[in-house]
Amino acid sequence: MPALSLADVWLVIVYLAVTFLPGLLITLSAGLRRWTAVALAPLVGYGVTALVGPLSSVGLRWTPLTLLGGSVAMAAICLVLRVLVDRRRFLARAAVRAGTGVARDRRGDATIAGAVVLASGIGAAVVLIGIGRLDAIHQDWDAIFHANAIRFILDTGNTDPGALRAINNYEDPAFFYPNAYHAVAAVVGTLTGANVPELMNSQMLLVPGTTALGLAALLRGHGARVALAATTPVLLVAFTGFATDMLFRGPLLPFVTALALLPAFLLGLGDVLDRPRFAPGLVVALTAVGLLGLHPSIALTAAIFAVPMLLQRWAGRLRRVLVEAPVLLVIAAMSGLLGLRFALGALKVGGTANLVDWKANQTPGQAVGDLLMLNHERAAPQFWLAALLVVGLLTVARLRPLWWWLVGATVFGAGFVATSAYDLPWTETVTGPWWNDPWRFVAIAVLGLAVLAAHGAVVLAEAALGLARRQRLLGRPGLAGRVWLGAAMVAVLAVFGLASNGFYVPANAKRMALNFQDGPTLPATERVAMAALARMAGPGDRIMNDPLDGSPWMYSLYGLHPMYGHIIAPLQFGRAGPDQQELIYSFRCLDSDQSVRDLIAKYGIRYVFVNDTYVRKYFKRIPGLLNLSPVKSLQLVYSRDGTNIYRIQLVPLRTPPAGAPACGRRAAP
């Protein structure tokens, strides 16, 4: 495994502290149960970020002190509510959780905590082995925008969701992008001085452990035995669909961060319904804002999971419905009020089915097989996890308290089948909030599949114990029964670990590494050219670049300001702003086209950056940057390893020579 330097370790510690401590201050002030308080803490912190961040629009600069101040203020409000409003309930003896009968169990809690730590280590190892080093450059699509968004907040202190239009949508006044993930990363960057790739990669290390914590706490809070609650996080990190595929592909950082915190949100919601109080209710409302601020599609995902949870809670219990429904409405109202900025922004943006259409490439049977055999876009299934899934499915009746969770996961498993096998208007509309993306549906479904696999492992351990007793190798169950079950679980997991070559760590790490090579989007040679350009360009100079290659990285890495701060797919050129379209098609005509010169003056374009690497192998140079060598207004100042840099020095406007390519948007193919 690659070694971490002391600076790397310090960065991860700071990120962990910024992720957990602000929210933990609030959850403890509100009097939440210990497991719930810890599991909810990161999402509460993102909720504070989403609540306070938009105040940048009225001049409040985003800094670590801003996050701290917002957290302290919210903790004070919760403490006041707890003491003055919830006082009687607070002083009363805690009630047993309705429908679960979970009693306090220190040894069980310690076992689960140890399993979460183990899962966190396995998950972090997959990420670290795959990326190689914390400053590695992710070579896929989404990484560019997330990197530039973090740099923008670091530079400006502006965390209004509409402010990110400056990156690549500066001609769209209605642009909106939830930015709680980026704002928290910027806080860590301010505290540590880490560069943007280090900030992105260090947060990736925390995603598996955060998910393991939330899912284990959710299971324990809903009546799962210690064996199941402890086994689930360990097996979860072996699945490729979550979180490896979300991190190597894209990476889908806001999405996977929100999804990692989904179990904790539902745990908090269940706690408040069990013991209705104002302070915890406010905290849960704040976590809903956190989901909206991270990724609105996960807020919708949480609502879909909540439906079977409520149905199972309320089935045949009219009195509970009458008590809990008003509580739920109050929480929803508080969430809507606190998260109004993000809710309205999400509605304004709407679904994405009209923007992205991942073509169906499977039959329904193939899609179901890929889901159950864990074979989505893999060379081979994850057979050993699939075997545990089979055992879990055959004995699913024993998981009755958690049926609601499995039902929620099944909905998204069906979403995977729909997106993989059907290109129908209704399927694209329904799956639009998740970008019509099979990978995302698999990731959500895995949260349920992990529970089934862990249940299968528990069933096998119990079967082994039963066989041993029948053979009189063990005595009858007694006080030592729990110890023997623990030993059997360790044995089952050890066998699984050996059979799966170390919980699939090598295979998952190899998959992570696919997008952390030296290119193709941004090889080291291109970074050398960017560094040279940074020495040439002045503070206000803009750089004409190609939105199809790795050049937008120049902002997050070197503080340069490209005309295109993110990728614009060729099919989406028509959705770009009119100025961007003009430059895409006609920049090469700056010798003879006054409209191009007007744009150069308007944006202060002083340099042109052209290289031969692309985000996708089938991309080609945009028309406006083809054949620049004859252009008299461009002076070549750098040419090395496939990268050319030109300085703009306008010559007198002249008539284009005969046979010159057409200019203006009329030149569009």
Side-chain angles (χ1 to χ4, degrees):
M1 185 190 307
L4 293 175
S5 67
L6 289 178
D8 292 338
V9 173
W10 174 244
L11 171 59
V12 174
I13 291 173
V14 172
Y15 216 127
L16 191 66
V18 171
T19 300
F20 276 87
L21 294 184
L24 191 59
L25 175 65
I26 296 169
T27 57
L28 293 177
S29 298
L32 289 166
R33 304 172 190 270
R34 287 180 299 177
W35 274 104
T36 307
V38 176
L40 268 185
L43 187 53
V44 173
Y46 282 112
V48 172
T49 301
L51 187 63
V52 178
L55 296 179
S56 298
S57 61
V58 294
L60 180 63
R61 184 179 178 88
W62 180 254
T63 67
L65 289 177
T66 312
L67 175 59
L68 178 62
S71 302
V72 170
M74 187 58 66
I77 293 171
C78 288
L79 188 60
V80 169
L81 287 174
R82 178 182 176 187
V83 173
L84 299 183
V85 180
D86 301 328
R87 182 180 177 84
R88 182 173 298 178
R89 293 179 182 272
F90 166 62
L91 293 177
R93 187 175 181 178
V96 175
R97 291 180 58 87
T100 64
V102 175
R104 198 170 190 179
D105 183 353
R106 294 184 183 275
R107 290 185 178 179
D109 287 349
T111 300
I112 296 170
V116 169
V117 171
L118 175 61
S120 302
I122 295 173
V126 169
V127 176
L128 187 58
I129 294 171
I131 65 178
R133 47 188 296 171
L134 280 190
D135 62 353
I137 303 293
H138 201 296
Q139 301 290 328
D140 205 3
W141 192 292
D142 302 71
I144 298 173
F145 179 82
H146 297 316
N148 285 342
I150 294 170
R151 179 63 186 258
F152 175 82
I153 296 174
L154 279 168
D155 287 350
T156 66
N158 189 343
T159 47
D160 183 83
L164 293 182
R165 64 191 286 265
I167 293 173
N168 200 43
N169 298 79
Y170 37 83
E171 297 182 76
D172 180 8
F175 181 80
F176 175 90
Y177 197 95
N179 60 357
Y181 161 81
H182 312 91
V184 169
V187 167
V188 179
T190 301
L191 293 173
T192 62
N195 61 44
V196 173
E198 289 173 335
L199 295 173
M200 296 167 65
N201 294 334
S202 59
Q203 192 267 348
M204 288 185 188
L205 295 177
L206 305 180
V207 168
T210 303
T211 319
L213 170 63
L215 189 52
L218 175 70
L219 297 177
R220 190 59 175 150
H222 281 265
R225 299 163 56 190
V226 171
L228 179 63
T231 304
T232 300
V234 177
L235 292 182
L236 171 68
V237 295
F239 283 80
T240 302
F242 182 93
T244 300
D245 279 354
M246 296 292 98
L247 298 177
F248 103 86
R249 174 182 176 267
L252 307 180
L253 292 174
F255 180 90
V256 73
T257 301
L259 183 55
L261 296 168
L262 171 67
F265 170 80
L266 293 165
L267 171 65
L269 179 61
D271 271 11
V272 171
L273 293 177
D274 285 341
R275 297 191 302 164
R277 292 170 297 159
F278 279 96
L282 178 60
V283 170
V284 172
L286 192 60
T287 60
V289 178
L291 289 180
L292 285 169
L294 283 167
H295 208 288
S297 74
I298 300 301
L300 180 57
T301 303
I304 292 173
F305 269 91
V307 170
M309 183 183 81
L310 293 172
L311 291 177
Q312 184 162 332
R313 289 177 64 92
W314 292 349
R317 299 180 178 92
L318 179 60
R319 182 179 177 183
R320 180 177 289 183
V321 176
L322 296 176
V323 171
E324 295 181 359
V327 176
L328 194 64
L329 290 174
V330 171
I331 292 174
M334 288 192 295
S335 302
L337 180 62
L338 295 176
L340 186 62
R341 177 76 173 89
F342 288 90
L344 292 178
L347 290 173
K348 180 173 62 176
V349 173
T352 59
N354 61 330
L355 296 178
V356 177
D357 181 16
W358 299 95
K359 294 297 182 182
N361 59 1
Q362 294 181 301
T363 66
Q366 288 173 330
V368 172
D370 275 4
L371 179 66
L372 296 181
M373 294 299 292
L374 309 174
N375 195 34
H376 179 239
E377 299 292 339
R378 286 177 51 89
Q382 291 186 286
F383 285 113
W384 295 105
L385 279 173
L388 293 179
L389 281 176
V390 171
V391 178
L393 281 170
L394 293 175
T395 57
V396 71
R398 305 184 194 179
L399 278 178
R400 185 168 183 175
L402 296 168
W403 280 359
W404 68 271
W405 180 253
L406 301 181
V407 169
T410 300
V411 170
F412 290 94
F416 166 74
V417 175
T419 56
S420 299
Y422 298 99
D423 272 327
L424 301 173
W426 73 266
T427 60
E428 293 176 6
T429 299
V430 169
T431 61
W434 296 272
W435 288 79
N436 186 231
D437 184 3
W439 298 73
R440 301 185 195 225
F441 285 100
V442 167
I444 301 171
V446 161
L447 295 183
L449 295 177
V451 175
L452 269 181
H455 173 59
V458 174
V459 169
L460 290 177
E462 290 177 330
L465 281 180
L467 178 62
R469 290 192 178 101
R470 286 193 297 272
Q471 298 298 321
R472 298 184 179 181
L473 299 176
L474 296 176
R476 293 183 178 181
L479 292 178
R482 186 169 174 178
V483 175
W484 283 116
L485 177 59
M489 287 305 312
V490 170
V492 169
L493 289 177
V495 171
F496 172 82
L498 290 173
S500 61
N501 193 20
F503 293 86
Y504 292 104
V505 167
N508 287 337
K510 183 177 180 180
R511 197 165 171 93
M512 275 292 301
L514 290 175
N515 278 323
F516 283 93
Q517 308 297 323
D518 185 27
T521 302
L522 188 68
T525 53
E526 191 174 337
R527 298 199 296 275
V528 170
M530 289 179 179
L533 178 57
R535 293 190 292 269
M536 302 178 202
D541 292 346
R542 294 292 289 268
I543 316 300
M544 178 61 194
N545 66 308
D546 191 328
L548 301 178
D549 59 27
S551 59
W553 271 103
M554 68 174 66
Y555 175 51
S556 61
L557 296 180
Y558 298 99
L560 296 163
H561 296 279
M563 286 303 297
Y564 302 94
H566 189 42
I567 307 159
I568 303 177
L571 292 178
Q572 302 298 325
F573 282 171
R575 295 180 180 270
D579 291 352
Q580 286 185 320
Q581 290 187 50
E582 185 75 25
L583 292 172
I584 284 173
Y585 292 117
S586 303
F587 179 81
R588 65 187 177 199
C589 301
L590 72 166
D591 280 352
S592 56
D593 193 317
Q594 184 60 48
S595 64
V596 174
R597 293 189 169 209
D598 290 342
L599 292 179
I600 290 172
K602 177 180 178 180
Y603 291 102
I605 304 173
R606 296 291 177 265
Y607 290 88
V608 184
F609 187 93
V610 182
N611 66 84
D612 57 5
T613 62
Y614 297 94
V615 180
R616 295 288 184 265
K617 61 182 179 181
Y618 50 83
F619 283 173
K620 298 179 180 179
R621 176 71 55 222
I622 60 172
L625 292 180
L626 287 172
N627 194 24
L628 296 181
S629 55
V631 179
K632 301 299 183 182
S633 296
L634 296 179
Q635 177 188 7
L636 184 64
V637 294
Y638 181 99
S639 182
R640 188 182 307 165
D641 300 316
T643 300
N644 290 334
I645 300 175
Y646 299 88
R647 180 183 292 116
I648 297 178
Q649 293 182 328
L650 295 177
V651 300
L653 200 66
R654 63 195 183 102
T655 302
C663 293
R665 267 166 282 173
R666 62 185 179 276

